[in-house]
Amino acid sequence: MTTIEPWTSAEWLAAATGWLDEQLAAAGRTRTGPVTQPHVRLWATALRAPTDAGPVWLKAPGSETAFEVPLYGLLAQAAPRWVLVPLAADVERGWLLLPDGGTPLGEQVCADDLPGALAEAIPHYAELQRDLSGNVAELLSFGLADMRPPALPERLDQALEAVGAYLGHHATDDDREVLRRAAAARPLVEDWCDRLASGAVPASLDHHDLHAWNVLVTPGGTPRFYDWGDSVVAHPFTSMLVTLGFLRLQHHRPDDDPGVRRVRDAYLEAFGDLGSRDELVAELDLACRAGKVARVLVWLRGLRPQGFENAEPFQRAPVQALAAILAESPFDLGA
């Protein structure tokens, strides 16, 4: 049985719908139509329900990402303006009831305008990270993986072993070469991590999947960052691996593109008291390079329980992320 099957069973759907209705009643809201299930993934599912006060969503993360439920509680306390504040949460069951946040930023603006829109939104995410830098112990207690620089060399060892096991007899000669080259790069990764650990930027929450489709923007222009299921505790700058990597990959913008630099610089403004611009840019590049180790393990977290055969369309994502560690660009995602 895969983790998808319980989420699509009649018994699970009935229980989730019953809980949703109970929480709506407690909040003084009424469901006005049928519950639908628009998203079922290997790692989570989401139900949607119309109500008399707008749509709501029930999110159920899998066991590997159940930390998202208590994490939303902390985010609602520390940064309520920049996240969706849950209407209800059940930590034991791993269920969240969230208000609808509107349309993702990636659907609101054209490709040419996307860097400018991200540059407006991303400083608020940086503000959220700075606000949470004192909550690292609490974040780790929720079950978020420790991907801080001192831990990453050992995490690389774990990634190499896990990717090899995940690929199994499906590994190609090219895959085995990727594993060999990544293993040989351990001293380089150690150097990156030593340099990051000696810097002035404290560890914090890393969303680790912060692209334009995980940023909601209200008609008034307030951004809200959501879908925290890939989160880890890390050097905060590793967040920009996906943000800038998506601009590079999806919109074919090189690293020195003015739009890419605009988003990067807007993000770094929130950390301007911790170093010069050149120092922060260099640290961000290092953090994104080292953060690719975490990306391998985040992919495996969702895919490994299913096995290689059941992981379409993401079968090769972990080995591609591993190969990206040695890519020329710090923002190369390996896809």
Side-chain angles (χ1 to χ4, degrees):
M1 177 182 286
T2 71
T3 55
I4 288 178
E5 287 173 342
W7 291 330
T8 56
S9 71
E11 293 80 7
W12 188 91
L13 289 168
T17 299
W19 181 81
L20 185 154
D21 286 339
E22 290 173 3
Q23 304 311 313
L24 287 176
R29 299 172 71 162
T30 303
R31 179 158 61 89
T32 58
V35 175
T36 57
Q37 190 174 31
H39 302 298
V40 184
R41 300 287 187 266
L42 295 171
W43 46 82
T45 191
L47 307 181
R48 183 184 186 277
T51 80
D52 55 356
V56 297
W57 296 82
L58 187 158
K59 182 169 184 178
S63 58
E64 295 278 344
T65 57
F67 61 77
E68 192 175 6
V69 180
L71 173 58
Y72 259 97
L74 175 60
L75 291 170
Q77 294 174 12
R81 188 179 178 190
W82 311 122
V83 298
L84 298 176
V85 175
L87 299 170
D90 187 323
V91 174
E92 183 175 345
R93 289 179 173 178
W95 290 350
L96 277 166
L97 186 61
L98 298 168
D100 187 75
T103 306
L105 181 62
E107 297 179 17
Q108 293 189 28
V109 299
C110 67
D112 288 345
D113 294 336
L114 189 55
L118 279 171
E120 290 291 326
I122 215 71
H124 302 300
Y125 170 75
E127 176 186 333
L128 178 154
Q129 287 185 298
R130 296 210 67 175
D131 288 344
L132 286 173
S133 63
N135 297 91
V136 165
E138 189 173 4
L139 293 168
L140 292 171
S141 76
F142 295 157
L144 277 78
D146 185 356
M147 298 293 178
R148 290 174 291 181
L152 287 179
E154 183 178 350
R155 295 290 181 264
L156 176 60
D157 298 338
Q158 295 169 357
L160 290 165
E161 182 179 356
V163 169
Y166 166 78
L167 290 172
H169 67 273
H170 300 285
T172 66
D173 288 344
D174 287 344
D175 295 336
R176 285 185 278 272
E177 177 63 12
V178 167
L179 288 165
R180 186 197 66 78
R181 292 182 65 239
R186 194 184 198 276
L188 181 60
V189 173
E190 289 177 343
D191 177 65
W192 294 341
C193 293
D194 287 344
R195 291 158 64 186
L196 288 168
S198 66
V201 180
S204 187
L205 178 65
D206 169 12
H207 183 286
H208 212 73
D209 197 25
L210 189 63
H211 51 71
W213 282 262
N214 278 338
V215 181
L216 306 172
V217 179
T218 66
T222 300
R224 289 187 173 88
F225 308 99
Y226 84 117
D227 196 4
W228 294 88
D230 286 340
S231 298
V232 297
V233 176
H235 190 296
F237 292 2
T238 61
S239 297
M240 292 299 99
L241 170 60
V242 171
T243 306
L244 302 180
F246 260 74
L247 286 175
R248 184 178 184 275
L249 176 67
Q250 299 292 334
H251 301 287
H252 311 291
R253 292 175 178 267
D255 293 359
D256 61 354
D257 177 83
V260 172
R261 292 201 307 267
R262 181 178 178 184
V263 177
R264 179 200 65 191
D265 292 347
Y267 171 76
L268 289 176
E269 284 181 7
F271 299 89
D273 60 311
L274 299 179
S276 69
R277 179 185 177 279
D278 288 347
E279 289 170 336
L280 294 175
V281 167
E283 190 159 346
L284 186 143
D285 284 1
L286 269 184
C288 289
R289 291 188 187 281
K292 295 177 187 182
V293 175
R295 186 163 172 81
V296 178
L297 291 167
V298 166
W299 270 118
L300 285 167
R301 184 168 64 193
L303 301 181
R304 186 173 47 202
Q306 316 308 317
F308 184 88
E309 296 87 347
N310 298 316
E312 286 285 7
F314 308 106
Q315 276 182 337
R316 306 205 60 79
V319 71
Q320 289 170 338
L322 190 65
I325 292 172
L326 295 177
E328 180 179 354
S329 169
F331 314 126
D332 190 321
L333 296 176

